[in-house]
Amino acid sequence: MAKLTSILDNDFYKFTMQFAVVKLFPKARARYQFINRGKHKFPPGFDKLLTEAIHEMARLKLTKSEKSFFAENCPYIDPTYFDFLEGYRYDPDEVTVLQQGTDISVTIEGYWYRTILWEVPIMSLICELFYEATGAQRLDDDEVISIAKEKILKYDKLGITIADFGTRRRYSYYVHNLVVETLKKYGQGTFIGSSNVHLAQVHKIKTIGTHAHEWFMFHAAKYGYKMANHLGLEHWSEVYRGDLGIALADTYTTDVFFRQFDKKLSKLFDGVRHDSGDPLVFADKTIAHYVRNGINPLSKTITFSDGLDYDKVEKISAYCKGKIGYSFGIGTNFTNDAGLPAMNIVLKMTEAYPEEGEWTPVIKLSDEPKKHTGDPESIYLAKKILMIED
């Protein structure tokens, strides 16, 4: 059955955020909740399979070679963090898995600096275990390789750069590894790296990523919605001093983000990441923002990462060419194109407990209203405070 074999089999931004949390918010606590957007029906006993795989994760630890690789490739992270990570162990007591009929619930609770690493591997385990438990048969290896090869050769003709962002909703670790191997082999100059730190080490490619929505969601719980983006980026720059400079824009909608993304931050950060809503509208708003602030948009980059496939990438690259820098992060379409429907699941922070505060609901206001997540009353309040109209 599915299980993880490396503590680095996780998205890079989970580790970069963990380092920042250890430095700035070591006493903060967090809660996370699994959301089954696709209404997938889980077979009997799935909760036991998932619980067993989660308990197996307690055996994972950073090896000497992994520590050396991580430290050598991330000189902007303090050596003390890698010592901390070497001693870190997953604690399965932080995770509760329950099943009622064909529905499962997964909740996580504990210190934020510890629980922050659970989200991505648990999602990847849910996907892989689901396919195993339901007896789903994927395409064979040659077909998987052929599909990945065809995609990267097509992307190469567009003259763009692409990274793998597919850990959380992959078909399996085996397929993920096979796809990355293929992308590297046939995509030289186009395929630039992976968000998966373990696979970056295995294939000797670059690790890609900065931060996720939960970084700003926590800042809203601690400082309020109006200060969440601004202080989130200020704190990020305090920790990374100009490195890891792609800012996520849609935690509280892009319009709100650009109101808080002042000239200093706009100059300091290398660019922004698009993760929801119309990508061409986002490009227009981003370009207009830089022009208003006297910044040449061609000196900045948009990283597009929202449910991409070839048609979307071709359209976006044609639109942005000559206007602003751009790159792409592709997830499920790379790592779960194996002949079966991909799962539609998320695992999000739902509450945060700042060290001097109390348990506070946290939310995400996507540029796609149907993707808003969190407590409905808090969503209503945030939209009112931020003057957002869907």
Side-chain angles (χ1 to χ4, degrees):
M1 299 298 287
K3 68 176 184 179
L4 271 69
T5 59
S6 169
I7 199 169
L8 296 187
D9 188 3
N10 205 331
D11 277 341
F12 182 49
Y13 66 51
K14 282 295 180 174
F15 298 107
T16 57
M17 288 192 298
Q18 185 183 52
F19 171 54
V21 172
V22 168
K23 285 181 72 77
L24 301 179
F25 309 111
K27 296 180 181 179
R29 300 175 69 86
R31 288 173 177 159
Y32 300 78
Q33 182 74 48
F34 171 70
I35 303 170
N36 184 6
R37 282 180 176 165
K39 309 298 181 186
H40 305 286
K41 296 184 182 300
F42 293 91
F46 188 85
D47 57 333
K48 294 180 176 59
L49 295 175
L50 181 57
T51 298
E52 181 180 346
I54 288 170
H55 277 266
E56 282 292 314
M57 289 175 63
R59 302 174 183 269
L60 298 175
K61 60 182 179 180
L62 192 72
T63 67
K64 293 294 183 183
S65 64
E66 288 174 333
K67 183 180 180 182
S68 296
F69 164 80
F70 211 169
E72 288 170 7
N73 284 274
C74 303
Y76 42 78
I77 295 180
D78 297 343
T80 50
Y81 171 70
F82 300 110
D83 289 341
F84 158 80
L85 191 59
E86 192 173 29
Y88 176 91
R89 299 292 183 274
Y90 283 107
D91 180 1
D93 289 340
E94 295 167 345
V95 185
T96 302
V97 181
L98 298 172
Q99 182 165 358
Q100 187 171 10
T102 59
D103 295 326
I104 65 163
S105 70
V106 181
T107 55
I108 303 165
E109 180 179 332
Y111 283 108
W112 190 23
Y113 77 86
R114 291 193 47 80
T115 56
I116 199 167
L117 292 189
W118 280 114
E119 175 194 349
V120 174
I122 287 180
M123 286 181 64
S124 67
L125 284 171
I126 289 172
C127 290
E128 187 165 354
L129 286 168
F130 179 80
Y131 294 122
E132 288 182 355
T134 55
Q137 296 296 310
R138 67 170 175 87
L139 300 174
D140 64 33
D141 288 4
D142 288 341
E143 290 175 293
V144 170
I145 291 170
S146 177
I147 290 170
K149 177 182 176 181
E150 182 182 355
K151 287 178 181 178
I152 198 64
L153 291 177
K154 285 179 70 177
Y155 286 129
D156 184 62
K157 292 177 181 178
L158 295 179
I160 61 173
T161 57
I162 289 182
D164 152 50
F165 280 12
T167 303
R168 62 187 56 227
R169 284 182 284 265
R170 65 193 182 193
Y171 176 87
S172 67
Y173 169 80
Y174 181 86
V175 167
H176 192 178
N177 183 55
L178 198 62
V179 167
V180 170
E181 183 179 49
T182 304
L183 296 176
K184 180 188 177 185
K185 182 177 180 179
Y186 296 103
Q188 293 183 14
T190 299
F191 179 62
I192 58 171
S194 174
S195 64
N196 187 293
V197 184
H198 166 66
L199 291 178
Q201 180 187 15
V202 169
H203 296 287
K204 297 179 174 60
I205 54 179
K206 185 178 180 181
T207 51
I208 307 289
T210 51
H211 47 242
H213 297 104
E214 70 182 282
W215 181 251
F216 301 98
M217 292 159 73
F218 173 82
H219 279 75
K222 184 171 174 64
Y223 302 105
Y225 296 113
K226 287 191 173 182
M227 297 302 294
N229 286 317
H230 187 86
L231 287 178
L233 294 178
E234 286 281 5
H235 286 147
W236 194 257
S237 67
E238 284 177 22
V239 173
Y240 287 105
R241 313 299 297 172
D243 284 303
L244 303 181
I246 298 294
L248 182 57
D250 73 331
T251 309
Y252 300 108
T253 75
T254 294
D255 290 339
V256 170
F257 173 83
F258 282 130
R259 292 204 299 264
Q260 300 173 352
F261 195 47
D262 64 17
K263 188 168 187 174
K264 171 192 165 184
L265 293 172
S266 297
K267 286 192 169 186
L268 176 62
F269 280 79
D270 300 321
V272 295
R273 179 158 74 91
H274 169 264
D275 199 48
S276 65
D278 188 318
L280 306 189
V281 171
F282 180 85
D284 286 340
K285 289 180 178 180
T286 304
I287 292 166
H289 172 80
Y290 284 129
V291 170
R292 278 196 307 272
N293 284 277
I295 299 168
N296 181 359
L298 288 170
S299 70
K300 300 295 181 178
T301 298
I302 301 175
T303 298
F304 293 92
S305 63
D306 180 31
L308 298 175
D309 58 22
Y310 178 81
D311 290 340
K312 291 180 182 177
V313 169
E314 182 184 36
K315 185 177 180 180
I316 292 167
S317 59
Y319 190 81
C320 291
K321 190 172 184 179
K323 300 177 183 176
I324 192 167
Y326 51 92
S327 64
F328 301 89
I330 297 182
T332 307
N333 190 253
F334 271 158
T335 62
N336 205 339
D337 190 0
L340 295 163
M343 298 190 77
N344 185 6
I345 58 174
V346 293
L347 209 168
K348 292 291 185 183
M349 180 190 282
T350 55
E351 293 179 86
Y353 193 128
E355 49 269 43
E356 73 292 341
E358 57 191 6
W359 283 112
T360 304
V362 297
I363 61 168
K364 178 170 80 89
L365 301 179
S366 168
D367 281 331
E368 175 56 56
K370 292 181 181 178
K371 287 187 177 180
H372 291 346
T373 60
D375 170 60
E377 186 175 336
S378 297
I379 290 175
Y380 171 80
L381 178 62
K383 288 166 66 176
K384 191 170 183 179
I385 290 171
L386 296 172
M387 295 179 286
I388 296 171
E389 295 183 8
D390 290 334

